[in-house]
Amino acid sequence: MDWADTEEQAAFRESVRSFIDENLPQYYKDKRVWAAVTLEDNWQQDMVHGSDEAQAAAREWAATLDSRSWAAPHWPEEYGGGGLTTMEQFIFNMEMAEAEALLVGGGGLSLLGPTVLIHGTDEQKERLLPPTLRGEILWAQGFSEPGAGSDLASLQTRAVRDGDEYIINGQKMWTSSAHKSNWVFGMFRTDPDAPKHRGITFMVMPQGNNGISVRPIITMGWEHGTNETFFEDVRVPATNVIGEVNRGWYVGMTLLDFERSNIAGAVETRRRLRSLIDYLDTDEGRLRAQDRGDRARTLIADRWIESEVLFNFSFRIISMQSSGIVPNYEASTSKIFGSELNQRTANTGMKVFGLYSNIWDRAHERTPLDARFTQLYVHSVVYTIFGGSNEIQRNIIATRGLSLPRG
């Protein structure tokens, strides 16, 4: 395997770096000192719930990326995307992560858009993709339910056909971004008598005032990242079904494979480790560190090596995509390793700072590294759960990757 850029790839990488350096709004350049570790630190949060300055920066950055067709670099050019090759997308996402430049559009551009491009009709592509690209439609993901988390195929929220519409009743759980979106995509039970993976249909719908209500879920880190979502006689046109009726499970799995590729994860881990190493070389870092001996150095070195392993998992996935192969269990492997590495990285930072890691306040005078490892430690608890729990990912690897029999 050749890890080096070709001459063309090196030139493209430099063009992306220059573009980010010249165009990233000053608001986001200044924000870099407060390393993002929560689900709330993202473009969609700034766009909807941010201060006036944050909203202005979010709009400016989205418009600037769109001027280069880089808001959705992975979409085809005919739908307003960049039409980049898979390797160019890999380079683009890597440089964005290195620069701590936010990707815009949320799940609409990264997850739903590619899924509609594969499974949607021409009419749906024309109707849904342009406003998603412009940020007029902001999406929430409605998959999990109170009784259907890791075993997602057990979902029970019903969609009953009524003429040219479906009427939906039920509840979704852990609905990401529902409090900062105006449309939702999700999977709903349309045939209760079919095998559980078969009687599911993938639909999209506006939130508005059509019977969808949202109740916040506050995490152990005082974060509002997900929600309970209630559907009461919600009417959805049949034209909003993506893919085939009762075959929505396969549409949803297409979307989750986009979610699990984890290209930027290695870059983010290395950046966190680099910040830790640099901080430990300062007077303040030496004062705050309660473990700077061989044990701490070994832990940091182990995490760095693991970040290289994660990079190669991601590089394998993008290499497969570049060859026209759709990753499946490979994406699950990357998801498991990346989510658990995030937890180990946070744990390493906590151990280095010892009792100082009990300080949650980022601005406290005794806080080491603006509490980023403390907050990451708390928030990373859910990393092995969302996006498909790691137990389910191991089943996918066992059955699809290793061809092991089901128990």
Side-chain angles (χ1 to χ4, degrees):
M1 181 183 289
D2 185 2
W3 286 269
D5 289 340
T6 65
E7 185 176 337
E8 293 78 10
Q9 290 168 351
F12 177 72
R13 186 184 297 277
E14 184 55 39
S15 72
V16 174
R17 286 179 181 172
S18 298
F19 174 84
I20 296 172
D21 185 60
E22 294 170 6
N23 294 285
L24 186 67
Q26 191 62 44
Y27 173 81
Y28 288 124
K29 292 181 179 179
D30 294 340
K31 197 177 180 182
R32 287 172 177 168
V33 298
W34 299 88
V37 296
T38 77
L39 294 174
E40 290 184 333
D41 289 326
N42 56 45
W43 175 86
Q44 196 160 324
Q45 175 74 19
D46 289 341
M47 190 76 169
V48 178
H49 295 299
S51 63
D52 291 344
E53 184 183 11
Q55 290 184 12
R59 287 192 297 268
E60 178 189 347
W61 184 226
T64 302
L65 285 170
D66 190 43
S67 70
R68 286 288 297 268
S69 298
W70 282 354
H74 51 306
W75 289 17
E77 293 179 2
E78 58 264 37
Y79 293 104
L84 301 185
T85 67
T86 51
M87 289 307 299
E88 287 173 336
Q89 293 172 41
F90 181 80
I91 292 169
F92 177 83
N93 287 330
M94 186 175 177
E95 292 304 317
M96 290 282 282
E98 286 281 9
E100 300 180 58
L102 296 184
L103 295 172
V104 305
L109 294 186
S110 62
L111 303 178
L112 182 71
T115 304
V116 171
L117 286 167
I118 293 173
H119 294 284
T121 65
D122 290 341
E123 184 276 333
Q124 289 170 337
K125 294 173 186 176
E126 293 293 338
R127 175 162 54 93
L128 298 173
L129 296 182
T132 297
L133 188 63
R134 294 191 297 265
E136 296 167 5
I137 295 181
L138 298 172
W139 293 91
Q141 176 175 306
F143 279 9
S144 297
E145 298 180 3
S150 296
D151 184 16
L152 183 58
S154 296
L155 64 88
Q156 296 299 317
T157 298
R158 286 292 311 278
V160 179
R161 186 72 182 249
D162 182 30
D164 293 333
E165 297 179 316
Y166 286 88
I167 301 176
I168 299 178
N169 283 280
Q171 178 187 354
K172 293 292 181 179
M173 195 74 168
W174 315 117
T175 314
S176 303
S177 301
H179 59 301
K180 48 190 176 186
S181 61
N182 50 19
W183 277 64
V184 60
F185 60 84
M187 295 190 289
F188 304 90
R189 179 73 56 190
T190 45
D191 185 352
D193 298 321
K196 66 179 185 179
H197 289 86
R198 295 299 180 100
I200 294 171
T201 301
F202 192 104
M203 301 183 190
V204 300
M205 65 207 72
Q207 285 180 222
N209 296 313
N210 64 341
I212 300 177
S213 57
V214 176
R215 181 184 299 168
I217 297 175
I218 307 302
T219 71
M220 60 194 291
W222 302 287
E223 174 192 32
H224 180 193
T226 60
N227 310 268
E228 295 178 280
T229 311
F230 299 89
F231 296 76
E232 301 177 77
D233 293 328
V234 177
R235 288 188 169 270
V236 180
T239 53
N240 282 15
V241 171
I242 307 297
E244 297 180 45
V245 173
N246 294 329
R247 300 278 290 177
W249 176 259
Y250 307 98
V251 180
M253 293 308 100
T254 298
L255 183 142
L256 288 178
D257 279 339
F258 286 113
E259 186 175 30
R260 293 171 184 153
S261 55
N262 195 29
I263 292 170
V267 174
E268 293 171 354
T269 299
R270 284 193 300 227
R271 190 174 65 239
R272 286 169 178 149
L273 292 171
R274 196 179 300 122
S275 71
L276 176 58
I277 294 168
D278 291 344
Y279 182 72
L280 292 175
D281 279 337
T282 66
D283 291 339
E284 181 180 320
R286 284 187 284 270
L287 178 65
R288 298 285 179 261
Q290 297 190 358
D291 186 347
R292 299 187 74 253
D294 290 341
R295 178 172 171 272
R297 285 192 289 270
T298 299
L299 288 173
I300 294 171
D302 284 346
R303 299 296 84 78
W304 191 278
I305 292 169
E306 289 166 349
S307 76
E308 292 296 324
V309 173
L310 180 59
F311 175 85
N312 280 280
F313 278 143
S314 298
F315 196 75
R316 181 190 183 195
I317 290 170
I318 206 69
S319 297
M320 292 175 65
Q321 292 173 329
S322 183
S323 300
I325 302 171
V326 178
N328 189 270
Y329 72 88
E330 297 87 356
S332 294
T333 303
S334 179
K335 194 274 179 181
I336 289 174
F337 194 86
S339 60
E340 293 181 357
L341 175 55
N342 259 309
Q343 294 176 338
R344 289 193 295 271
T345 300
N347 183 267
T348 295
M350 293 281 285
K351 287 181 176 178
V352 168
F353 295 119
L355 291 175
Y356 283 107
S357 296
N358 289 322
I359 305 174
W360 181 266
D361 184 358
R362 287 182 164 190
H364 193 281
E365 62 180 357
R366 291 186 174 86
T367 302
L369 268 179
D370 54 68
R372 69 186 64 175
F373 286 97
T374 300
Q375 297 202 12
L376 178 63
Y377 184 80
V378 173
H379 293 298
S380 68
V381 171
V382 300
Y383 287 2
T384 53
I385 302 171
F386 64 55
S389 72
N390 284 12
E391 289 77 13
I392 295 299
Q393 305 310 312
R394 289 184 171 89
N395 287 341
I396 292 173
I397 294 168
T399 56
R400 302 179 190 174
L402 300 176
S403 298
L404 296 178
R406 292 183 180 272

